[in-house]
Amino acid sequence: MSATRKPLVEIHAVDQIFRAGFWLKPVQVLHHVQIQVPEKSVFGFLGANGAGKTTLIQLLVGLRAPTRGTVKVGGHLATTAKARRKIGYLPERPYFYDHLTGEDFLKYFGTLSGMTRNQLLDRIPTVLSTVGMTAAKNVELRRYSKGMLQRIGIAQAILHEPELLVLDEPMSGLDPIGRKEIRELILSLSQEGRTVFFSSHVIPDVEAICDEVALIDQGRILQSGPIGGLLSKGPIQTEIAFSGVTAANAKKIEELMRIQEMPDGIRAIVTSQVSANDALSSLIKKGARILWVSPIRPSLEDFFKSTKEGGSA
Amino acid sequence: MNVSRRGLTPSLPVILSIARVSFFEILREKILYITLMMTALLMFLGFAASRLFFIRPDRVILDFGLSAVNISMSILAILIAGYQIGREVDRRTIHIALVRPISRGQFLLGKFAGIKCILILNWLLLSAGYVVILGLSSHEGFTEHLHATLFWALGLLLFQSVVLAAVGIFLSTFTTAALSWMICTGFYLIGNNISQIRLLAIKTKNVFVAGSLNGLTWIFPNLEHFSLGTQVTYGLPIVTEAAVTAIVYSAVYSALVLLLAVLSVQKRELN
């Protein structure tokens, strides 16, 4: 967790057990989950389908209470009304009452949030404008596209100006343009000072917009923290491009891996800082002209893979 | 923001808002129109059948019409109440609502209020149609059958449907729509034969069976309170106390069943 920001969400030692089957056999889906979400952060919750993301989100928004442990939002237990006032939520693959127009839909959820008529009249045009749905406000939801439904879903989630926005797979089922639009919307909501917690199984989506991340697998948190900090734990590689030395000669330098001949020279990878120094010295000794030396930042995907395999983590 | 002492949104705007959305959602369901068409057909059959009788054909129309309203109101109550909560859970519309600072009880009461509004609308349409058919078929003038007993009988059918809707919504908090419809139909059939069950309890020699049968009459709603068919057919005067008792019975029974429904929905796991 970021040291400078206090946590808005505190998930402490949470276990979740469901009863399944005819004999109500206990099945543990979350194991001692511990996460803190700093306020005003964009927190990505990453895991494969069935890893326990939606279950944890349901605990976070107060739809169910954990079997063991506590989930607090803004210092209040998530199941209390005080905590729920701070939360805006968009579930995965939501179905909305499709006979309502966009505006009626927002009025309905605004009323449930305790907003007065005047507050609704004041706030709805702002929210519709934020999500880019002003033109469709009088159209029934059954005529909305998937992307428009996601936008109006986000509109209902931010209508009552919650501190925490919880989005369960908000980009699921969208085309690339729709995904980009929702990413940009999440970023703009974050810039307004909101804390955004969103789940995804698509790593590039999380990598693109999150500053904090938690990885979950089979109900266990593998890693949690600032995304930069997590990636710095991953393997550090350096790409070296050079010319003036043949590929055959370059292969004699043992630090150089994955040597590739390119039209403008040769590129190779070295796997540590020491190897980079040694490889550069050897290349210079052989009369090579160094074109560039570039560190390769590990992707979240690499990190997730290596953490799951019990590698670098 | 409107906030109650417990931090919840106050009940009245929440219930009205949920009722409004539910009302317009049900209004778009085919079930409502199928029920209306079925009732119109039954009334027409009554009208046609009355042509076959030389003595008091108007009584045939009275019986057919009242039965048609009874069946229509009961079927509608059973069908629409039986899937209300289950469908909300399946579609996850309940999730977005319950994340708001409202209680599950408020949500359930809002849904029930929406169903009640639909039943009232259906009842008004059917009663109006029934009265018009009665007027058109009357040989001795429009007002002959429009006496207090008929209106009490029609009114009590509305209260009977409210009881069935309460039972239906209670069942929908923990079971599937199909099962809810079957069980609720059982409630309707048993509820309309409570006196027969009591008679059976008196006649049986087995104390355990008699006790069980008597117990059932306390669990199932006594829908015989709402049946004034004989009085209507023979134009008998209504005992006002009995009618008022039926209304109070409807209110109390529905309230108790809704209380159970609230407790049940609070326990329900949302997937």
Side-chain angles (χ1 to χ4, degrees):
Chain A
M1 191 205 89
S2 172
T4 54
R5 289 179 287 183
K6 66 174 185 177
L8 179 63
V9 175
E10 293 165 282
I11 298 173
H12 179 68
V14 163
D15 290 329
Q16 185 67 37
I17 297 168
F18 292 136
R19 302 264 165 190
F22 183 78
W23 302 107
L24 298 178
K25 197 179 154 198
V27 179
Q28 187 157 359
V29 292
L30 293 177
H31 303 261
H32 203 76
V33 171
Q34 194 109 5
I35 297 177
Q36 292 197 330
V37 180
E39 61 180 8
K40 296 178 182 171
S41 64
V42 180
F43 195 99
F45 190 42
L46 194 58
N49 290 329
K53 298 191 297 291
T54 298
T55 303
L56 189 69
I57 282 181
Q58 289 185 345
L59 296 175
L60 174 57
V61 299
L63 281 175
R64 62 170 85 232
T67 311
R68 282 186 287 270
T70 55
V71 180
K72 287 184 178 179
V73 176
H76 305 286
L77 284 176
T79 46
T80 61
K82 281 180 181 169
R84 281 184 279 152
R85 285 206 172 275
K86 295 175 184 287
I87 297 171
Y89 172 54
L90 176 67
E92 185 186 5
R93 293 190 307 275
Y95 174 91
F96 301 128
Y97 302 107
D98 60 6
H99 64 282
L100 296 178
T101 64
E103 193 170 23
D104 287 343
F105 174 74
L106 294 180
K107 278 182 187 163
Y108 172 61
F109 283 110
T111 308
L112 299 194
S113 300
M115 295 174 79
T116 62
R117 189 180 150 74
N118 285 341
Q119 284 173 325
L120 286 170
L121 291 175
D122 185 45
R123 178 81 178 134
I124 287 174
T126 313
V127 169
L128 284 170
S129 162
T130 304
V131 298
M133 293 293 291
T134 306
K137 68 176 183 178
N138 293 322
V139 178
E140 288 182 344
L141 297 189
R142 66 199 162 100
R143 302 196 187 283
Y144 278 23
S145 68
K146 174 90 181 156
M148 289 164 85
L149 284 173
Q150 287 297 82
R151 284 171 171 277
I152 204 75
I154 291 177
Q156 64 79 25
I158 60 173
L159 183 65
H160 54 297
E161 302 196 69
E163 286 177 45
L164 173 66
L165 192 56
V166 180
L167 310 172
D168 193 359
E169 301 270 4
M171 286 163 258
S172 161
L174 297 180
D175 59 25
I177 295 171
R179 300 178 85 85
K180 183 173 172 282
E181 286 174 352
I182 297 293
R183 272 203 302 265
E184 284 168 359
L185 185 55
I186 291 173
L187 281 174
S188 73
L189 292 171
S190 157
Q191 280 156 12
E192 287 173 13
R194 250 179 269 280
T195 308
V196 183
F197 182 101
F198 86 97
S199 72
S200 179
H201 62 271
V202 182
I203 294 170
D205 287 342
V206 175
E207 201 170 9
I209 55 176
C210 294
D211 41 33
E212 298 267 339
V213 68
L215 311 180
I216 186 168
D217 185 47
Q218 294 178 13
R220 290 181 169 83
I221 297 294
L222 300 178
Q223 290 285 338
S224 175
I227 197 163
L230 290 185
L231 295 182
S232 67
K233 293 180 193 171
I236 297 167
Q237 295 186 327
T238 308
E239 185 184 61
I240 301 174
F242 53 92
S243 62
V245 172
T246 62
N249 272 339
K251 280 177 186 165
K252 289 177 187 163
I253 303 171
E254 63 182 32
E255 288 84 4
L256 294 181
M257 318 286 285
R258 300 194 334 237
I259 296 167
Q260 282 180 290
E261 284 190 83
M262 310 296 282
D264 55 347
I266 294 172
R267 288 179 204 178
I269 302 291
V270 291
T271 53
S272 71
Q273 192 61 50
V274 178
S275 304
N277 292 341
D278 294 347
L280 283 170
S281 305
S282 303
L283 282 167
I284 290 164
K285 273 183 201 163
K286 288 180 186 291
R289 179 169 170 251
I290 306 298
L291 300 175
W292 72 77
V293 178
S294 167
I296 301 172
R297 185 174 153 266
S299 71
L300 194 55
E301 192 162 359
D302 297 332
F303 180 72
F304 189 46
K305 216 184 287 176
S306 63
T307 307
K308 269 190 82 172
E309 288 162 1
S312 65
Chain B
M1 293 268 181
N2 288 323
V3 185
S4 74
R5 257 188 296 169
R6 286 166 56 204
L8 294 170
T9 304
S11 291
L12 190 62
V14 168
I15 290 172
L16 289 179
S17 194
I18 294 169
R20 185 175 176 276
V21 167
S22 302
F23 175 80
F24 284 109
E25 191 184 30
I26 300 168
L27 212 52
R28 292 163 49 86
E29 308 268 353
K30 285 185 185 136
I31 217 167
L32 182 64
Y33 303 100
I34 291 170
T35 315
L36 276 170
M37 278 169 60
M38 189 196 75
T39 316
L41 189 68
L42 276 173
M43 284 184 182
F44 176 76
L45 278 176
F47 187 76
S50 74
R51 305 291 101 182
L52 304 173
F53 291 82
F54 292 109
I55 305 164
R56 302 307 304 265
D58 47 336
R59 282 190 182 167
V60 177
I61 296 173
L62 265 178
D63 282 351
F64 255 85
L66 202 60
S67 300
V69 175
N70 185 352
I71 291 169
S72 170
M73 292 295 291
S74 304
I75 287 179
L76 190 67
I78 290 169
L79 289 184
I80 61 176
Y83 62 74
Q84 284 300 314
I85 300 299
R87 188 171 69 174
E88 288 278 342
V89 174
D90 291 344
R91 290 177 171 183
R92 300 185 183 199
T93 35
I94 197 170
H95 288 207
I96 315 178
L98 293 183
V99 166
R100 311 278 158 175
I102 66 168
S103 70
R104 294 186 179 195
Q106 287 174 324
F107 185 81
L108 187 128
L109 293 177
K111 297 300 285 185
F112 183 68
I115 296 170
K116 260 170 95 170
C117 293
I118 285 287
L119 291 175
I120 290 169
L121 176 70
N122 191 54
W123 177 79
L124 284 172
L125 290 172
L126 293 180
S127 299
Y130 180 42
V131 167
V132 168
I133 287 174
L134 217 48
L136 290 174
S137 62
S138 175
H139 299 292
E140 296 168 32
F142 186 69
T143 54
E144 186 199 355
H145 298 295
L146 302 182
H147 48 75
T149 308
L150 176 69
F151 291 108
W152 272 111
L154 284 171
L156 291 185
L157 289 180
L158 174 64
F159 286 98
Q160 174 185 264
S161 68
V162 169
V163 170
L164 289 171
V167 172
I169 208 163
F170 164 61
L171 294 169
S172 82
T173 60
F174 61 86
T175 187
T176 61
L179 210 52
S180 168
W181 292 333
M182 280 193 278
I183 298 171
C184 208
T185 304
F187 268 73
Y188 174 74
L189 295 174
I190 294 171
N192 273 298
N193 290 286
I194 290 289
S195 56
Q196 298 298 314
I197 294 172
R198 286 196 178 131
L199 195 63
L200 195 64
I202 292 166
K203 285 187 174 175
T204 188
K205 303 268 187 283
N206 188 320
V207 181
F208 176 73
V209 173
S212 302
L213 288 171
N214 277 324
L216 283 181
T217 64
W218 283 99
I219 293 168
F220 286 92
N222 187 350
L223 300 179
E224 291 175 353
H225 285 310
F226 307 103
S227 176
L228 295 180
T230 310
Q231 286 94 320
V232 171
T233 307
Y234 296 102
L236 303 174
I238 181 80
V239 180
T240 314
E241 287 78 10
V244 172
T245 304
I247 293 170
V248 173
Y249 179 82
S250 164
V252 172
Y253 193 91
S254 302
L256 288 173
V257 174
L258 286 175
L259 185 66
L260 288 176
V262 169
L263 294 174
S264 170
V265 82
Q266 278 168 350
K267 293 279 176 202
R268 174 146 188 178
E269 288 276 355
L270 301 175
N271 297 316

